[in-house]
Amino acid sequence: MVRKTRETFGSRTGMLLAMAGSAIGLGNIWRFPYTLGKNGGAAFLLIYVIMLLVICLPVMISEYLIGRRGGSNPFRTFDRLAPGSKWRWMGFIAVLASACILSFYCVVGGWSVKYLDDVCSGRLMGYEGDYAQFFGSFISSPWKPLVYTMLFLGMTGLIIAFGVRKGIERMSKIMISVLFVIIVLVVIRSLSLPGAIEGVRYMFVPDFSKVTADTCIAAMGQAFFSLSIGCGTILTYASYVHKDENIAASSAWIAIFDTAFAVIAALAIIPAVYAIALMNGVDPDVSAGPGLVFITLPGVFQSMPLGGLAAVLFFLALLLAAITSAISLMEVVVAFIIEELHRSRMHAVLLSFLLCGVVGVFCSLSFGPLDGFTLFGLSVFDFFDYITSNIMLPIGGLLLAVFAGWKLKRANYLDELTNGGTLKLPHWLALSIYYLVKLVAPLAISLIFLNCILS
Ligand code: PHE
């Protein structure tokens, strides 16, 4: 009964942009640029692309394939494909992982709402003190970040309440298109600054001396997070996709969009940071993590001509990217509540809002009043960030690969990949994807996972 009334994406472009919207997010705008810089620039990019092709893309194709074949939320999908087995609990963990990611993601999403608000009202560009203090006093306030976190989560919930086509698909289409235009404008501004070329050089001249075993691990972790694989978001979106869609081609497009966007975002940030640092005669600091976007960049915008406009566009881009990822995370929880707890979409959105909101409050307060409170030695925010990115996503990816490679029949896997043989995917390519998923991916993921627990 649930199957008959299930929604689907209205068009191929809409589906591709919704999935690209899930992938393109904070991971691309703040995490990628400094990870690239820290790990040898183009040398990292090369390793990232190899990881993407050999491990992440095959896992993504499998998550997509499992989602479309199962046609439901992660819990029910695994139950349908392996009836009565324990695999459905893997689906349940995916739902939990999405809720956990959203709980800290919405805090950073809230920071981007606050910065957009400040930059539009002139408070950010007009600030005369130190931006580290500006940021620090905001995130440690007992109530201000909570308001912005709830605002961000509320906007996310509102979009989802309109459903798959009218909410998720329509908004992703608009937001991702606007996002691309904005980021290109910011890149043009950044690259036209005198001295920007030094930043471009830093990004693209390969420095193999910085490549270590950790670089490969950093590249794979980044690819997992950035492509949104391992926690049921691709699986859930895939359950709204038509049967005649070419899974391998769509996955490849999404990976291309995501990687191109990460490189473009880095081109918007790193050359500008270099140019302004050279102008002020200081050392450019591009490996500052979250601080790069919220502390270093405001200073960069303040010093450059037309910086106010560039700042408005940049923080709008950050917010749009964060929202399109957040809706994909919340939809995993919402689909589960609708289908397993038999609630209406509206009710499911409210429940997800409450669940992630409560955990989000603790994550946000961990920068202020709950500063000294730790879980396994980590602040609440870092704890959720750590267990999801370093533990839940790699395990999720590993289990997805094992399920697709060892539990699904080879004939079924190939059948779903080629849509019963009607799609023109060369047989050797379909087989290679299958064996990458069955053998290479589980081995490689086990290695990063081991590294995460040992380090
Ligand atoms: N891919 C998103 C980003 O780059 C984050 C994300 C991870 C979204 C996992 C959904 C699932 O910011």
Side-chain angles (χ1 to χ4, degrees), residues 22-28 101 105 225-228 231 233 325 328-329:
S22 167
I24 295 170
L26 299 168
N28 303 59
I101 298 179
Y105 207 84
F225 188 79
S226 192
L227 287 180
S228 310
C231 63
T233 48
S325 296
S328 73
L329 287 162

Side-chain angles (χ1 to χ4, degrees), residues 22-73:
S22 167
I24 295 170
L26 299 168
N28 303 59
I29 302 188
W30 70 256
R31 203 162 181 256
F32 185 81
Y34 76 86
T35 316
L36 179 79
K38 255 200 327 214
N39 289 287
F44 174 83
L45 197 58
L46 191 72
I47 297 171
Y48 182 84
V49 172
I50 295 173
M51 295 286 173
L52 202 75
L53 292 178
V54 177
I55 300 162
C56 297
L57 194 52
V59 172
M60 185 179 185
I61 291 174
S62 306
E63 181 169 344
Y64 194 144
L65 185 147
I66 291 170
R68 193 179 68 176
R69 203 169 176 85
S72 191
N73 67 81

Side-chain angles (χ1 to χ4, degrees), residues 29-31 34 108 111 115 130-133 135-136 139 269 273 285-300 314-315 318 367:
I29 302 188
W30 70 256
R31 203 162 181 256
Y34 76 86
V108 186
W111 297 347
Y115 268 61
D130 176 12
Y131 280 113
Q133 210 213 332
F135 182 57
I139 61 171
I269 297 174
V273 172
D285 181 11
V286 284
S287 52
L292 178 62
V293 164
F294 295 105
I295 299 171
T296 316
L297 270 190
V300 169
F314 179 83
F315 286 107
L318 191 66
F367 294 99

